[in-house]
Amino acid sequence: MRSIGHFIGGKEVKGTSGRTADVFEPMTGEVQGKVALASKAELRAAVENAKAAQPEWAATNPQRRARVMMKFVELVQRDYDKLAELLAREHGKTVPDAKGDIQRGLEVAEFACGIPHLMKGEYTEGAGPGIDIYSMRQPLGVVAGITPFNFPAMIPMWKFAPAIACGNAFILKPSERDPGVPMALAQLMIEAGLPAGILNVVNGDKEAVDAILDDPDIKAIGFVGSTPIAQYIYERAAQTGKRCQCFGGAKNHAIIMPDADMDQTVDALIGAGYGSAGERCMAVSVAVPVGKTTADRLMEKLIPRVESLKIGTSVDPSADYGPLVTREAVEKVKSYIDIGIKEGAKLAVDGRGFKMQGYEKGFYLGGSLFDNVTKDMRIYKEEIFGPVLSVVRAHDYHEALALPSDHDYGNGVAIFTRDGDTARDFAAKVNVGMVGINVPIPVPIAYYTFGGWKKSGFGDLNQHGPDSIRFYTKTKTVTSRWPSGVKDGAEFSIPTMK
Ligand code: NAD
C-alpha cells in the first residue's frame, strides 16, 4: 500500500492531519494507496516555504529560469513510460492516452522555455516632451493551482510551468483521486534545478482548498474542475481580492451537416465521445445531425461502432478506453442513463450491463448511445462525464447553430462539413470558446490559449499561451522625465578655481 504525503520545501513530507483518502486502481477496483489530506496548518507551512524562496527565484534572470524548464522537459521525456503507467493505473485511462495527457502538458512547459522573450515589456520613446514610457511584467509572488482528476499531468503543467517561469512560487493542490503524477512532476522539477520551495504540492480536499482561498499570501488561483466548484472558488477568491481564473464543466456539441464525410465524422465521434471513457472536458457528448437523412445515415454507421467498442484494462494496448475513475462515477453515469430513458430519449445502445472478465470489481462501463434527445431533457442540459453520446436531431443549420450557442456550457464545439462558407459562418457566430472545423476536440496548441465561455469559464484570461503570462504577472508602467542634465551648461574646458 503506497502512502502519499505532500511535496514541500523540495521534498516529500508526510501528512500530519491524520486524514487520508483512498487512491484506487480503477482497472482492478482495489485501493492502491492512501493520500494525505492537508490541514490549514500544513497549507500554511507550504505557503511560508514558498514565500521565503520566491524573491530569489524572481531575481534569477529569465534565461536561467528557462534552462530549468528545458531540463524539466528532458527529464519528463526520460521518464515518459513510467509516468504514463503510473497515471493510467491511478486514473484509469489507457497508457497511450496517458502519454497524450503528459504530452499536452509538456508542450506548455516547452512554451514556458521562451520566458525571456514572453516577459519583455513595452517602450515608447518621446510619449511627451522629454517623456518616455515603459512597462514591465513582474511576478505576483505565491500563486496556487487547483486541478481536476481527469488530466493529472496536463493541467498541473498548464498551471505551474508558466507561473514558475514568470518567477512565481507555486502551490499545487491536485485532485486527491490521482495525486501520484503531480508528486512525480514536482520531484522532476527539483532534479531539473528548481530551488526548493518554488513548487509545492499540497494534497487535500475542501479543507486545503478553503485554506488556499483564505490565505493572505496567495495572490492568484488557477482552478479547473466542475462548474459548481469553479463558481464557488471564483466568488470566494473575489471576496479576498485574489486574481482568479476558473474553468468548469462542458457539454460539447458536434454539428454534422448533410455534406459531411460520414466515415470521417463517425471516426471523430467515436474517438471524441468515448475516448478516456468520456471523462474529458473536451469530449463530444452531443451529436447534432442536420436533416432526417443525415441523422439516419449517421445512426446506421454509429450504432455498430458503439456496440463494438473495445473496453479493456488501463494497460491493455488494444483497448479503446479503460475504466472510469471511481465506482461513484460509474453509478452517476448509469443514473443519467436511467434518467434519459425516463425522459423519453431512445437508448440505441445500452452499455450498462458491460462486465470485464477477470476484473469484475473494476470501474467499467460500456458505451451508450441515445437518439431523439431534446433540449429540455436533463441528459442534454447536464454534464454526464462518461461514455454516453446523445444525438439531438436538428431540422436545419440555424437550429443546429442555436443549440450550442444557447446551452449553459460553452467549452468546445465542432462542425463537420465540406462547405467553407458554412464552416466560416459557424465559427463566426457560435457562442462557444473553442471551435473545431472537421476537428472533433479542438484543444488549441500550447502557444494559443485554452478556455471555455459561459459556465465553462469564469474570469477573463485563458490558460496557456500569451494569456498565461498575463495571468501570472502584473504590469508596472513607468512614465519618466529627466531634468536637464549635465549637457546643459556643461564645461568644456578643464574646471579651474575661480
Ligand atoms: P471537481 O470539481 O470535483 O474537483 C476539482 C478540484 O476541486 C479538485 O482538486 C478537488 O479536490 C476540488 N474540490 C472538489 N470539491 C470541492 C469542494 N466542495 N470545495 C472545494 N474544492 C473542491 O472536478 P473533477 O471531478 O476532479 O473533474 C471533472 C470536472 O472538471 C468536469 O466537470 C470537467 O468538465 C471539468 N474539467 C474542465 C476543464 C476545462 O478546462 N474547462 C478541464 C478538465 C476538466
Side-chain angles (χ1 to χ4, degrees):
M1 179 78 62
R2 287 158 59 214
S3 170
I4 303 165
H6 311 292
F7 194 92
I8 299 174
K11 55 182 190 304
E12 182 162 354
V13 296
K14 283 195 163 65
T16 57
S17 72
R19 291 195 313 126
T20 58
D22 289 340
V23 177
F24 288 91
E25 185 178 54
M27 64 182 234
T28 57
E30 305 287 346
V31 176
Q32 58 166 311
K34 299 264 179 202
V35 61
L37 300 175
S39 64
K40 193 172 179 155
E42 286 172 296
L43 184 275
R44 185 61 207 161
V47 174
E48 276 170 10
N49 221 289
K51 198 179 166 193
Q54 191 268 336
E56 198 179 327
W57 176 242
T60 303
N61 79 51
Q63 264 172 295
R64 285 178 189 270
R65 298 203 302 265
R67 278 181 210 138
V68 171
M69 213 50 81
M70 287 177 208
K71 186 70 187 168
F72 171 72
V73 170
E74 192 187 311
L75 295 176
V76 174
Q77 278 159 346
R78 180 196 71 191
D79 291 357
Y80 228 103
D81 292 341
K82 209 167 67 182
L83 288 167
E85 182 156 343
L86 173 64
L87 196 161
R89 284 183 183 274
E90 285 188 2
H91 173 284
K93 64 177 72 175
T94 62
V95 169
D97 204 28
K99 287 186 175 168
D101 187 331
I102 297 167
Q103 180 59 27
R104 292 308 290 262
L106 207 53
E107 287 167 9
V108 173
E110 287 169 344
F111 171 76
C113 293
I115 200 65
H117 182 68
L118 292 165
M119 267 183 88
K120 283 198 297 202
E122 302 152 307
Y123 191 94
T124 300
E125 183 191 14
I131 294 177
D132 304 325
I133 299 192
Y134 60 96
S135 67
M136 48 185 152
R137 295 202 163 276
Q138 296 185 330
L140 303 174
V142 181
V143 298
I146 301 164
T147 55
F149 82 84
N150 69 328
F151 282 99
M154 179 181 86
I155 298 180
M157 282 192 263
W158 282 10
K159 303 282 176 212
F160 75 66
I164 288 176
C166 287
N168 298 289
F170 200 86
I171 309 285
L172 173 65
K173 205 305 282 171
S175 171
E176 59 275 43
R177 291 182 214 148
D178 43 16
V181 170
M183 292 289 283
L185 294 174
Q187 185 64 55
L188 290 179
M189 282 292 279
I190 293 294
E191 195 181 334
L194 189 73
I198 298 299
L199 175 56
N200 303 278
V201 182
V202 177
N203 285 306
D205 55 5
K206 183 171 167 54
E207 186 172 337
V209 170
D210 285 346
I212 289 173
L213 286 163
D214 292 337
D215 196 290
D217 287 318
I218 294 180
K219 302 298 175 201
I221 301 176
F223 171 87
V224 181
S226 59
T227 290
I229 311 298
Q231 193 155 2
Y232 165 73
I233 289 177
Y234 192 62
E235 287 168 8
R236 284 277 314 270
Q239 279 168 14
T240 50
K242 293 190 199 313
R243 186 178 290 194
C244 197
Q245 54 173 199
C246 296
F247 299 94
K251 198 78 180 176
N252 306 312
H253 296 56
I255 312 299
I256 300 116
M257 296 303 292
D259 66 348
D261 178 325
M262 203 49 90
D263 289 325
Q264 188 201 33
T265 304
V266 168
D267 272 347
L269 291 179
I270 289 291
Y274 300 93
S276 199
E279 290 176 322
R280 291 182 182 139
C281 67
M282 289 292 271
V284 169
S285 49
V286 181
V288 184
V290 174
K292 183 174 181 329
T293 324
T294 314
D296 293 345
R297 280 168 49 228
L298 176 71
M299 291 310 284
E300 194 189 318
K301 286 189 186 265
L302 203 49
I303 290 172
R305 291 288 300 275
V306 178
E307 284 171 339
S308 60
L309 280 165
K310 181 158 185 330
I311 297 129
T313 66
S314 310
V315 293
D316 173 356
S318 67
D320 292 329
Y321 69 85
L324 277 76
V325 67
T326 54
R327 193 177 315 284
E328 292 75 52
V330 174
E331 293 312 318
K332 183 181 158 206
V333 177
K334 280 185 176 170
S335 77
Y336 268 112
I337 298 173
D338 297 340
I339 291 169
I341 296 167
K342 280 202 199 96
E343 288 178 313
K346 181 179 166 200
L347 188 60
V349 183
D350 184 356
R352 287 173 298 176
F354 179 83
K355 290 267 176 304
M356 184 74 189
Q357 255 198 338
Y359 294 88
E360 283 74 12
K361 282 174 24 201
F363 310 141
Y364 298 93
L365 197 55
S368 294
L369 177 66
F370 273 115
D371 195 0
N372 297 327
V373 175
T374 54
K375 58 182 191 176
D376 52 310
M377 293 180 181
R378 276 185 63 195
I379 58 162
Y380 175 73
K381 291 196 270 198
E382 297 170 22
E383 182 181 47
I384 299 176
F385 222 54
V388 182
L389 182 64
S390 295
V391 175
V392 180
R393 295 172 176 239
H395 293 101
D396 57 26
Y397 168 71
H398 298 287
E399 190 185 334
L401 170 66
L403 283 165
S405 297
D406 295 345
H407 203 285
D408 278 353
Y409 291 114
N411 214 37
V413 71
I415 187 165
F416 291 88
T417 180
R418 286 190 173 93
D419 180 49
D421 177 55
T422 307
R424 187 171 178 275
D425 188 75
F426 184 78
K429 290 184 180 154
V430 72
N431 187 20
V432 171
M434 292 172 282
V435 183
I437 297 173
N438 298 313
V439 171
I441 303 187
V443 176
I445 206 82
Y447 44 92
Y448 281 78
T449 71
F450 180 109
W453 290 3
K454 299 179 281 183
K455 290 206 165 159
S456 299
F458 303 86
D460 65 349
L461 287 170
N462 278 351
Q463 306 182 85
H464 64 67
D467 273 10
S468 64
I469 308 303
R470 290 186 197 109
F471 184 73
Y472 289 116
T473 54
K474 52 197 174 197
T475 307
K476 185 179 280 175
T477 313
V478 181
T479 305
S480 69
R481 178 163 57 196
W482 291 92
S484 336
V486 286
K487 67 180 186 304
D488 278 358
E491 298 262 4
F492 291 99
S493 49
I494 295 174
T496 51
M497 300 296 286
K498 294 212 169 113

